[in-house]
C-alpha cells in the first residue's frame, strides 16, 4: 500500500510523492538505490560529498561508499590498518602514494594497502569515485606481500566464468595468500545468469556499473539497475540474471583466503 502526497516545487509545478522506493534493508542484506542517497560532508573529505552504501552499522564488516568530489576536493589517508580499493566512475583524479602521482580517469582504479599513506585530489570540475574500505586481516605465515598499485579496467583481462562466454569476470586483485580480499568486475550478456544459487560465509559489497537485471537476495527478488548498491551478509542465498538489451556489469567485493572467524 502506498500513500500519494502532493506538493509544489518553487516554480509552482505539482509533484506527486508516493513514498515508494526499491531500496530495502533486511537482516542480512541491503539494496540502496540512488533515490535514497543522503550525502555527508565529512572533515576528512574536503569539498566532497560521501554516500555510504554499506557499513558496520548495518551489519557489514567493511565500508562501501560513493564520493562526489567538487573542484579542489581532496582526501588524505594515514590509516595504519585499513586497506582501500578506489574506482573512478566519472572525471579524473590525481592519486599520490609512495612518492609517485597517478592520474586516474574513468575506469581507473587503485589498491592501497594497509598503512599506505595516500592523497586524492580532484583537479577538474567534478569527479565521482566508488570506494571499498576494510581492516586488513594479516596472515603471518605467508611469504608474499600485499602491494599498492594503480591500474585501469581496460588493462585487466576478462575471462569466461566457468567456461560461460556470456559471463565475463575481471579479477582486479591477485589471488595470493597475503591478500585477504578480492574485488572483481562481472559482465553478463542479456539473458546470462550466475550458474547456481550461491550460499557462503563470505560477505559481498556490490555496485552496478551498467545495465539491469534481477537479483535474488534470500527469499526476495529485486529489479536492479545502474547506480544500485547491494550488501550481502554471510550465508545469504544469492543469484543474478541479466535483462535488458545491453550487457549488465557490476563490481563486487568479497573476503578471500581467510577461514571464518571463531
Amino acid at each position: 500500500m502506498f500513500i500519494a502526497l502532493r506538493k509544489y516545487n518553487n516554480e509552482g509545478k505539482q509533484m506527486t510523492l508516493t513514498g515508494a522506493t526499491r531500496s530495502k534493508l533486511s537482516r542480512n542484506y541491503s539494496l540502496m538505490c540512488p533515490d535514497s542517497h543522503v550525502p555527508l560532508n565529512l572533515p576528512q573529505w574536503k569539498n566532497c560529498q560521501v554516500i555510504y552504501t554499506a557499513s558496520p552499522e548495518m551489519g557489514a564488516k567493511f565500508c562501501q561508499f560513493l564520493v562526489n568530489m567538487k573542484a579542489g576536493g581532496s582526501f588524505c589517508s594515514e590509516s595504519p590498518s585499513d586497506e582501500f580499493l578506489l574506482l573512478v566512475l566519472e572525471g579524473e583524479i590525481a592519486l599520490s602514494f609512495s612518492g609517485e602521482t597517478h592520474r586516474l580517469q574513468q575506469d581507473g582504479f587503485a589498491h592501497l594497502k594497509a598503512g599506505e599513506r595516500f592523497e586524492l585530489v580532484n583537479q577538474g570540475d567534478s569527479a565521482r569515485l566508488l570506494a571499498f574500505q576494510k581492516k586488513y586481516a594479516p596472515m603471518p605465515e605467508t611469504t608474499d606481500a600485499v602491494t599498492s598499485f594503480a591500474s585501469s579496467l581496460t588493462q585487466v583481462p576478462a575471462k569466461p566464468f566457468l567456461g560461460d562466454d556470456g559471463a565475463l569476470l575481471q579479477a582486479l586483485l591477485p589471488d595470493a595468500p597475503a591478500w585477504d580480499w578480492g574485488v572483481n568486475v562481472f559482465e553478463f550478456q542479456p539473458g546470462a545468469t550466475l550458474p547456481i544459487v550461491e550460499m557462503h560465509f563470505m560477505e559481498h559489497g556490490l555496485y552496478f556499473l551498467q545495465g539491469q537485471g534481477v537479483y535474488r537476495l534470500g527469499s526476495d527478488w529485486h529489479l536492479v539497475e545502474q547506480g544500485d548498491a547491494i550488501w550481502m551478509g554471510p550465508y545469504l542465498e544469492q543469484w543474478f540474471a541479466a535483462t535488458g538489451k545491453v550487457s549488465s556489469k557490476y563490481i563486487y567485493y568479497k573476503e578471500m583466503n581467510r577461514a571464518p572467524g571463531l
Side-chain angles (χ1 to χ4, degrees):
M1 175 181 177
F2 298 115
I3 299 175
L5 303 175
R6 294 180 181 176
K7 65 178 294 186
Y8 296 86
N9 62 17
N10 293 335
E11 290 75 34
K13 183 178 179 180
Q14 181 176 297
M15 304 168 62
T16 300
L17 306 178
T18 64
T21 181
R22 292 182 296 110
S23 297
K24 181 177 179 179
L25 175 61
S26 185
R27 179 186 64 83
N28 56 352
Y29 80 84
S30 72
L31 168 63
M32 186 178 294
C33 307
D35 64 290
S36 298
H37 288 175
V38 178
L40 300 174
N41 296 310
L42 301 177
Q44 306 96 317
W45 290 89
K46 295 179 173 57
N47 212 22
C48 299
Q49 291 183 322
V50 181
I51 302 161
Y52 281 89
T53 58
S55 72
E57 285 75 10
M58 68 170 53
K61 296 193 292 289
F62 65 98
C63 287
Q64 175 180 313
F65 54 97
L66 298 162
V67 183
N68 298 322
M69 302 185 75
K70 301 177 183 179
S74 64
F75 172 74
C76 184
S77 174
E78 297 181 347
S79 172
S81 59
D82 289 2
E83 52 192 344
F84 292 80
L85 191 289
L86 308 174
L87 173 67
V88 179
L89 300 176
E90 296 177 11
E92 179 180 324
I93 63 166
L95 168 65
S96 301
F97 64 91
S98 299
E100 296 185 359
T101 297
H102 306 263
R103 296 195 175 277
L104 300 182
Q105 298 178 336
Q106 183 175 344
D107 290 338
F109 72 93
H111 175 265
L112 291 312
K113 66 181 182 179
E116 183 79 75
R117 184 189 185 281
F118 68 91
E119 183 177 7
L120 292 170
V121 179
N122 173 31
Q123 297 177 330
D125 293 331
S126 63
R128 292 182 66 237
L129 308 177
L130 172 71
F132 298 96
Q133 177 183 359
K134 69 178 290 291
K135 292 194 178 301
Y136 178 63
M139 182 174 284
E141 300 85 0
T142 60
T143 57
D144 60 316
V146 175
T147 60
S148 299
F149 67 90
S151 185
S152 171
L153 298 185
T154 60
Q155 298 177 359
V156 180
K159 300 180 180 180
F161 184 64
L162 299 179
D164 183 358
D165 290 334
L168 301 178
L169 188 71
Q170 293 175 283
L172 308 188
L173 302 180
D175 183 6
W179 297 74
D180 68 334
W181 64 342
V183 180
N184 304 327
V185 172
F186 228 149
E187 182 170 7
F188 296 82
Q189 295 303 311
T193 72
L194 284 174
I196 62 171
V197 178
E198 297 184 4
M199 189 174 179
H200 46 66
F201 75 87
M202 291 101 65
E203 287 186 283
H204 283 320
L206 184 153
Y207 182 78
F208 269 85
L209 299 169
Q210 173 182 302
Q212 62 187 46
V214 177
Y215 230 110
R216 176 183 173 177
L217 300 170
S219 58
D220 301 329
W221 299 79
H222 293 276
L223 297 175
V224 290
E225 62 186 24
Q226 182 179 354
D228 290 350
I230 298 176
W231 163 64
M232 302 180 217
Y235 297 106
L236 176 74
E237 305 99 312
Q238 54 196 257
W239 183 80
F240 176 71
T243 61
K245 296 184 179 181
V246 299
S247 64
S248 298
K249 183 185 295 187
Y250 58 73
I251 183 172
Y252 70 100
Y253 147 82
K254 64 176 180 178
E255 297 150 294
M256 290 283 289
N257 299 315
R258 302 293 185 270
L262 299 177

